[in-house]
Amino acid sequence: MDSSLDPAEIKSVIVVGGGQAAAQAIQSLRLGKFEGAITLIGEEDALPYQRPPLSKAYMKGELDKERLFFKPKEWYTDQDVSLRLGEKATSIDRDARTVTLEGGEALSYDALILATGSRPRALPLPGADLEGVFALRTLSDVEAMRPLMVAGKRLVIIGAGYIGLEAAAVARQLGLDVTVLERAPRVLERVTSPVISAFYEDVHRAEGVDIRTGAATEAIEGETNVTGVRLMGDEVVPADIVLVGIGILPNDDLASDAGLSCHDGIPVDRDARTSDPRIFAAGDCTRRDIVHCGREGRLESVHNAIEQGKQAAAAILGKPRPPEDCPWFWSDQYDLKLQIAGLSSGHDEIVKRGDPEDRKFAVFYLKDGKLIAVDAINSPPEFMVSKKLIIAGAKVDPATLADPAVSMKDIAAAALG
């Protein structure tokens, strides 16, 4: 550890944020027997909560609000965590070691964890501020949108990433007419292979979603409320609701304004430490070494938030660094659970196992004979075993991978010895 940060001298920790990384950091600190003061500053009024269900079960009305929260309010009271909810941190004074709130109050820290998350990328088009145009990032976003999600309404989704497709699946199940507009030539182009893209396009079209790829939007139409989305070429797609899902940006302004090193996120080391040894960062707002993938970058995932929350807490406590997992993600659409391990970019070979027609198959991504990622649809063994193989940097036989008659357990045994 950096000699300027002595864990024995840390008596107060401030955590800025209200998502998975913030909640994990606080839990790990208390589980690690940290007895000092912990203050959570959250810009939203809500207790720290899960975000993945927002575009899935919560939007659909299958999950109560209380089940989104990582811990009930009583837990924070029992753990002597001071909650400053609905308050925004506006600046950090690194010399004085204080965080100033919007109202002017300055709170002192010995160690600071920035878990400020991310924000939706704004749609740079006329009409993007009309009533009925939504992003999907916070609890309040979904609560504003849900009353409009009724059968017969026309929903247009701009962007065919996971959030957009998950929302499309929920909307169809609720009986809405759904159109998805994607500028790229296929859905999920940034994150997966043409095999997976084609599968999801077929699934959504079979469910009645109008999927339009290569569709460039020009403006959102309407006076006060949205009435449609105008495409290049002047076609207008009628809409009662528009959901914009064109990516996210890291919330690194607080860190940057404080003079911390930032570039498309807050760079951190493997202990989640920033360029200031007393300040840590975790979750969507960070850039990190992705050790099992041989690269550096941002990870927008539950895995990343959990792992970095634990790393920051361990460093503050002076404990060994927790084990580092390979990246993992998931997406629920209709009856399909997609589980992803690793990062597929840079692959030089694709191996398919199973038949997409069965709605149960996996696509493996190899580089120089080593497994670097998998997309597993309704196939938990392929996902779980692939995680182990990716972490081990194992070489696998493509023909064996492609043969469903060979169990994943036997493939792992052969590859790992």
Side-chain angles (χ1 to χ4, degrees), residues 327-350:
W328 51 263
F329 316 82
W330 84 92
S331 177
D332 294 325
Q333 300 171 44
Y334 308 110
D335 61 334
L336 305 169
K337 177 171 283 293
L338 168 62
Q339 293 174 290
I340 304 159
L343 300 175
S344 61
S345 60
H347 67 270
D348 55 26
E349 186 173 3
I350 292 177

Side-chain angles (χ1 to χ4, degrees), residues 129-180:
D129 57 349
L130 287 170
E131 291 291 326
V133 178
F134 297 92
L136 188 54
R137 191 63 184 166
T138 67
L139 188 55
S140 59
D141 290 335
V142 182
E143 291 182 339
M145 190 175 175
R146 273 206 309 189
L148 304 176
M149 298 279 286
V150 296
K153 291 285 188 179
R154 299 166 299 181
L155 170 65
V156 173
I157 299 171
I158 301 175
Y162 289 120
I163 294 292
L165 294 184
E166 288 166 1
V170 168
R172 282 301 299 141
Q173 290 169 314
L174 293 175
L176 283 77
D177 294 330
V178 182
T179 301
V180 175

Side-chain angles (χ1 to χ4, degrees), residues 356-372:
E357 291 291 327
D358 297 331
R359 298 169 79 89
K360 178 181 170 64
F361 71 104
V363 176
F364 301 94
Y365 304 88
L366 284 71
K367 182 177 182 180
D368 299 328
K370 292 182 179 180
L371 182 65
I372 62 170

Side-chain angles (χ1 to χ4, degrees), residues 58 121 218 254 292 295:
Y58 189 67
R121 189 183 296 274
E218 192 171 70
L254 187 64
H292 298 300
R295 53 183 283 193

Side-chain angles (χ1 to χ4, degrees), residues 41 84 87-88 90-91 98-107:
I41 302 171
R84 304 297 297 263
E87 300 191 61
K88 183 178 181 179
T90 56
S91 65
T98 60
V99 177
T100 299
L101 304 180
E102 198 164 36
E105 183 181 359
L107 306 178

Side-chain angles (χ1 to χ4, degrees), residues 19 29 58 65 72 120 127 176 181 212 241 269 281 309 330 337 377 409:
L29 284 169
Y58 189 67
K65 182 176 180 179
L176 283 77
L181 305 175
R212 304 194 191 187
I241 319 164
D269 66 12
W330 84 92
K337 177 171 283 293
I377 294 174
K409 181 178 178 181

Side-chain angles (χ1 to χ4, degrees), residues 362-402:
V363 176
F364 301 94
Y365 304 88
L366 284 71
K367 182 177 182 180
D368 299 328
K370 292 182 179 180
L371 182 65
I372 62 170
V374 66
D375 292 326
I377 294 174
N378 291 341
S379 301
E382 281 72 8
F383 169 71
M384 295 302 297
V385 171
S386 292
K387 283 181 68 179
K388 296 177 183 178
L389 295 171
I390 293 164
I391 290 172
K395 288 196 172 186
V396 290
D397 175 38
T400 305
L401 267 184

